[in-house]
């Protein structure tokens, strides 16, 4: 505890945010990209950019089910565990037939082979490159990578709780929260970074509170498991069965049986759902006595994250389970929070708003880390001017800032370039797409070890900006359709990807050109100390950009 409540919360706000800031930056960055995971997945499969996109057609469902079942029966292996027929949706406008093989040793789930039907019904596209697409960024923001999912989710949960503490304490200590929304003083060193931190925090404050709290709610039973263990002390499986009875399937019996024709189940589906669109049909353990058929409704436009399903016996066609039309208040509240966090219900404009708020979250965390580095350097500046080295802690903070603030966008660009430049037949190409992301991130860490001055930041931003601006050009050379073709065919997901890439690239290039102007306008050192400082700098050059950004104003002035 400090001498006053305000100073105590100020200390809490500072350290709650700073201790996990770089992990939070990764979570915000990957989570923001996840709002367009389906659009990124479409871009990552250029083989489907011409002739495969189609709309959902109610009068063709029976024919598509019959065609899909026949195709999968012909081409899948006898040991196949599941059949999947995916119908066109607003964000994934394709009809595809897929099957899941048994998992190999050490795998949790088997590989899914997916083929996509041409829109004119003339054939099926089979040679589709293996890519994680937007799903990589979606999983990254809560499962991280190169570690077990359980460990990663505990790490993310701790960081999210720190984020919530930082937000609440920040609101309490922010005396001029509405006034500072319109306050941004340029070229004022630490004061400018504090204004940037305040503006990016306050503009999207409702979003930051919502996304942080609902992020904890999504995995609340993992973080607080004692409620389940108290109510179900001997059998957690009983809880899972009661929570989601539709997911509890019987194991394969090993006894062969005739599989029901999927098109014959449509009258029962229509009796339950009317003309509601179907998103997916899954057959578990096909041609087995315990086979099960599950129809999933397309609820994309509703504020819900809960699946509406119908489960049939795969042999007799008998309806076994139907999602209830009414749920308890607890389930409805949880479902709404999940839906708000994932924004799967959102129309394009709302997802753009969420994406923008997510980028403001990145700016909030990044500006906080930069401001921290600047203040640390201000405290050590006198010793540094005398020829002493900056502390290890300061060099570590500045290096991690360089690595994550610049490495994350570079890693995303590397992921998309790897998607197009790696050979299509490369056996582990999807894994190397992911590796390229982390290789680029690590490369920025190595770069930070050798130099972090203004010119290094400028050069890195310029390289990243050029890479993003060149993505539409890369797409034009590696895809059957380019930007103009996509506009003519009204493939707005692909058009939007190119536009966002150009905007992000332009922002990086603009930031690169602005760095020089920002530094030149900072307050110059006094004439008395100029000669001495210049001699010291010649003897020992300082590789830090934070040193060039830090103004001569003291720390307390920046807090005022």
């Amino acid at each position: 505890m400090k001498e006053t409540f305000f100073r105590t919360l100020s200390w809490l706000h500072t350290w709650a945010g700073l201790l996990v800031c770089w992990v939070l930056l990764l979570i915000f960055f990957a989570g923001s990209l996840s709002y367009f995971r389906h659009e990124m997945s479409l871009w990552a499969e250029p083989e489907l950019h011409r002739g495969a996109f189609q709309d959902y057609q109610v009068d063709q469902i029976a024919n598509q089910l019959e065609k899909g079942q026949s195709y999968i029966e012909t081409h899948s292996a006898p040991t196949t565990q599941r059949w999947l027929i995916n119908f066109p949706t607003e964000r994934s406008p394709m009809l595809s037939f897929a099957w899941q093989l048994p998992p190999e040793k050490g795998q949790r789930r088997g590989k899914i082979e997916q083929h996509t039907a041409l829109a004119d019904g003339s054939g099926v596209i089979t040679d589709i490159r293996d890519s994680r697409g937007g799903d990589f960024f979606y999983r990254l923001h809560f499962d991280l990578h190169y570690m077990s999912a359980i460990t990663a989710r505990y790490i993310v949960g701790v960081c999210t709780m720190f984020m919530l503490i930082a937000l609440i304490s920040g609101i309490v200590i922010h005396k001029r929260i509405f006034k500072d929304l319109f306050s941004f003083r340029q070229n004022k060193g630490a004061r400018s970074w504090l204004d940037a931190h305040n503006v990016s925090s306050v503009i999207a404050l409702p979003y930051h509170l919502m996304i942080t709290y609902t992020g904890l709610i999504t995995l609340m039973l993992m973080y607080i498991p004692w409620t389940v263990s108290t109510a179900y002390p001997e059998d957690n499986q009983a809880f899972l069965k009661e929570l989601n009875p539709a997911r509890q399937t019987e194991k394969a019996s090993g006894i062969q049986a005739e599989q029901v024709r999927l098109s014959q189940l449509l009258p029962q589906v229509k009796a339950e759902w009317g003309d509601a669109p179907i998103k997916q049909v899954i057959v578990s353990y096909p041609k087995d006595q315990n086979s099960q058929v599950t129809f999933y409704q397309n609820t994309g436009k509703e504020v819900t994250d809960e699946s509406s399903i119908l489960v049939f016996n795969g042999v007799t066609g008998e309806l076994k389970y139907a999602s209830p039309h009414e749920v308890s208040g607890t389930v409805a509240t949880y479902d709404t929070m999940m839906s708000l966090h994932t924004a799967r219900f959102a129309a394009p404009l709302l997802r753009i708003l969420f994406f923008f708020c997510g980028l403001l979250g990145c700016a909030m965390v990044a500006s906080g880390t930069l401001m921290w580095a600047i203040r640390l350097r201000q405290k050590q500046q006198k010793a540094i001017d005398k020829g002493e080295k900056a502390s290890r802690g300061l060099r570590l903070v500045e290096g991690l800032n360089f690595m994550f603030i610049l490495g994350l966008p570079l890693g995303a660009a590397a992921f998309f370039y790897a998607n197009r430049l790696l050979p299509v037949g490369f056996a582990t190409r999807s894994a190397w797409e992911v590796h390229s992301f982390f290789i680029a991130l690590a490369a920025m860490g190595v770069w930070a070890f050798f130099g972090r001055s203004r010119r290094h930041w400028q050069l890195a931003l310029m390289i990243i900006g050029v890479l993003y601006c060149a993505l539409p050009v890369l797409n034009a050379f590696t895809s059957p359709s380019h930007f103009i073709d996509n506009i003519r065919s009204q493939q707005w997901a692909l058009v939007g990807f190119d536009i966002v890439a150009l905007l992000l690239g332009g922002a990086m290039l603009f930031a690169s050109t602005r760095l020089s102007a920002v530094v030149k306008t900072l307050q110059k050192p006094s004439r008395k100390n100029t000669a001495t400082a210049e001699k010291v700098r010649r003897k020992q050059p300082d590789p830090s950009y934070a040193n060039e950004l830090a103004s001569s104003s003291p720390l307390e002035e920046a807090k005022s």
Side-chain angles (χ1 to χ4, degrees):
M1 293 295 292
K2 303 296 182 180
E3 56 271 19
T4 65
F5 179 72
F6 177 84
R7 287 186 177 275
T8 299
L9 283 188
S10 180
W11 175 89
L12 178 64
H13 174 76
T14 299
W15 288 104
L18 294 178
L19 288 176
V20 296
C21 55
W22 296 289
V23 180
L24 285 175
L25 188 59
L26 171 64
I27 295 171
F28 263 105
F29 180 80
S32 300
L33 294 181
S34 299
Y35 290 125
F36 296 101
R37 58 184 287 207
H38 295 292
E39 289 74 13
M40 288 188 290
S41 295
L42 285 178
W43 188 91
E45 296 177 339
E47 295 82 5
L48 307 178
H49 290 184
R50 180 172 291 175
F53 293 174
Q54 57 183 295
D55 296 325
Y56 182 85
Q57 302 177 53
V58 178
D59 57 345
Q60 294 295 319
I61 298 301
N63 180 47
Q64 291 172 346
L65 279 175
E66 192 66 33
K67 181 179 179 180
Q69 184 171 357
S70 299
Y71 183 87
I72 296 174
E73 284 179 334
T74 303
H75 294 84
S76 64
T79 57
T80 296
Q81 288 190 334
R82 292 198 305 169
W83 296 349
L84 302 94
I85 299 177
N86 302 301
F87 291 98
T89 63
E90 297 83 358
R91 300 181 63 187
S92 184
M94 294 174 293
L95 173 67
S96 65
F97 313 132
W99 53 91
Q100 185 175 33
L101 301 175
E104 297 179 0
K105 186 177 181 180
Q107 289 183 337
R108 183 181 177 185
R109 297 183 180 89
K111 182 181 179 182
I112 295 179
E113 295 282 348
Q114 181 168 308
H115 297 170
T116 301
L118 290 168
D120 58 8
S122 60
V124 176
I125 303 173
T126 59
D127 296 328
I128 305 172
R129 68 187 61 199
D130 184 22
S131 175
R132 294 283 300 276
D135 290 337
F136 162 66
F137 296 101
Y138 171 70
R139 303 294 302 188
L140 177 65
H141 95 280
F142 63 91
D143 273 357
L144 304 180
H145 205 69
Y146 303 124
M147 65 178 68
S148 69
I150 297 296
T151 302
R153 293 180 186 188
Y154 274 117
I155 293 173
V156 171
V158 171
C159 294
T160 305
M161 180 58 71
F162 272 67
M163 176 69 181
L164 186 61
I165 293 172
L167 284 173
I168 296 173
S169 58
I171 293 171
V172 175
I173 67 175
H174 213 304
K175 298 178 179 178
R176 303 179 300 183
I177 189 169
F178 293 107
K179 182 179 179 180
D180 284 351
L181 176 62
F182 306 98
S183 299
F184 181 73
R185 283 148 286 197
Q186 298 185 24
N187 308 327
K188 298 293 184 182
R191 178 75 258 184
S192 297
W193 286 111
L194 181 60
D195 285 345
H197 182 70
N198 290 338
V199 170
S200 58
S201 302
V202 175
I203 287 179
L205 182 59
Y207 169 85
H208 294 153
L209 289 170
M210 179 276 293
I211 207 71
T212 305
Y213 182 72
T214 55
L216 290 170
I217 292 297
T218 57
L219 297 172
M220 62 180 184
L221 293 181
M222 180 179 139
Y223 300 141
I224 311 177
W226 305 286
T227 53
V228 176
S229 59
T230 300
Y232 300 84
E234 298 180 355
D235 187 10
N236 284 348
Q237 291 299 319
F239 165 74
L240 295 175
K241 185 174 182 179
E242 186 175 338
L243 177 68
N244 198 339
R247 290 185 180 271
Q248 308 306 313
T249 59
E250 298 181 24
K251 294 183 179 180
S253 65
I255 303 174
Q256 287 193 349
E258 186 69 23
Q259 185 68 43
V260 67
R261 303 309 297 181
L262 301 180
S263 57
Q264 296 177 4
L265 302 177
L266 283 179
Q268 298 183 68
V269 174
K270 189 171 183 179
E272 292 286 337
W273 288 347
D275 293 328
I278 301 171
K279 179 181 180 180
Q280 186 182 55
V281 178
I282 296 179
V283 180
S284 302
Y285 307 118
K287 297 186 178 182
D288 186 270
Q289 191 173 25
N290 290 340
S291 175
Q292 179 175 289
V293 180
T294 306
F295 281 73
Y296 288 82
Q297 186 181 129
N298 182 7
T299 58
K301 295 183 179 180
E302 300 179 12
V303 185
T304 179
D305 206 59
E306 187 70 21
S307 299
S308 182
I309 65 176
L310 298 173
V311 181
F312 298 89
N313 185 297
V315 177
T316 64
E318 177 189 359
L319 180 62
K320 297 172 59 178
Y321 174 84
S323 296
H325 297 290
E326 296 182 2
V327 295
S328 65
T330 302
V331 173
T333 301
Y334 176 78
D335 178 36
T336 302
M337 289 187 178
M338 285 283 293
S339 183
L340 285 172
H341 188 84
T342 59
R344 291 172 186 161
F345 68 93
L349 287 178
L350 184 56
R351 276 187 284 114
I352 291 174
L353 176 61
F354 273 39
F355 176 70
F356 176 71
C357 291
L359 292 184
L360 285 177
C362 295
M364 173 184 65
V365 177
S367 59
T369 61
L370 286 170
M371 185 170 56
W372 185 25
I374 291 171
R375 290 177 174 178
L376 285 176
R377 182 162 287 275
Q378 284 176 338
K379 292 181 179 180
Q380 302 179 25
Q381 194 60 50
K382 290 184 179 180
I384 293 173
D385 288 341
K386 293 178 181 179
E388 298 181 15
K389 289 185 177 181
S391 67
R392 290 183 180 179
L394 175 57
R395 296 199 301 271
L396 177 64
V397 169
E398 292 173 344
L400 289 173
N401 284 347
F402 190 92
M403 176 181 177
F404 280 89
I405 295 176
L406 297 175
L408 289 174
L410 179 64
F415 177 89
F416 293 123
Y417 275 86
N419 169 262
R420 294 303 178 88
L421 299 180
L422 289 174
V424 175
F426 188 33
T428 57
R429 72 180 320 278
S430 63
W432 276 101
E433 286 179 358
V434 176
H435 295 333
S436 66
F437 175 89
F438 291 101
I439 290 172
L441 184 63
M444 297 309 292
V446 174
W447 188 345
F449 179 80
F450 291 101
R452 306 175 299 278
S453 66
R454 170 174 53 86
R455 65 178 179 274
H456 290 285
W457 280 79
Q458 282 182 300
L459 180 59
L461 285 169
M462 186 177 299
I463 292 173
I464 298 170
V466 170
L467 288 174
Y468 273 94
C469 289
L471 275 176
V473 179
L474 176 68
N475 179 61
F477 281 100
T478 57
S479 170
S481 61
H482 52 73
F483 184 76
I484 303 300
D485 290 337
N486 293 330
I487 293 178
R488 290 172 180 169
S489 59
Q490 298 183 359
Q491 303 302 334
W492 303 120
L494 301 177
V495 172
F497 185 99
D498 286 348
I499 291 176
V500 171
L502 290 172
L503 290 175
L504 291 176
M508 297 290 178
L509 293 175
F510 176 76
S512 177
T513 58
R514 282 291 298 168
L515 279 183
S516 178
V518 169
V519 174
K520 288 179 180 179
T521 55
L522 291 178
Q523 186 174 352
K524 297 181 180 179
S526 62
R527 294 181 180 179
K528 181 179 179 180
N529 297 327
T530 300
T532 304
E534 184 63 27
K535 290 180 181 178
V536 172
R537 291 190 184 95
R538 288 177 182 175
K539 293 180 181 178
Q540 182 177 337
D542 189 352
S544 171
Y545 172 49
N547 180 51
E548 301 179 51
L549 286 180
S551 72
S552 59
S553 58
L555 177 62
E556 291 303 321
E557 180 184 347
K559 288 185 177 180
S560 62

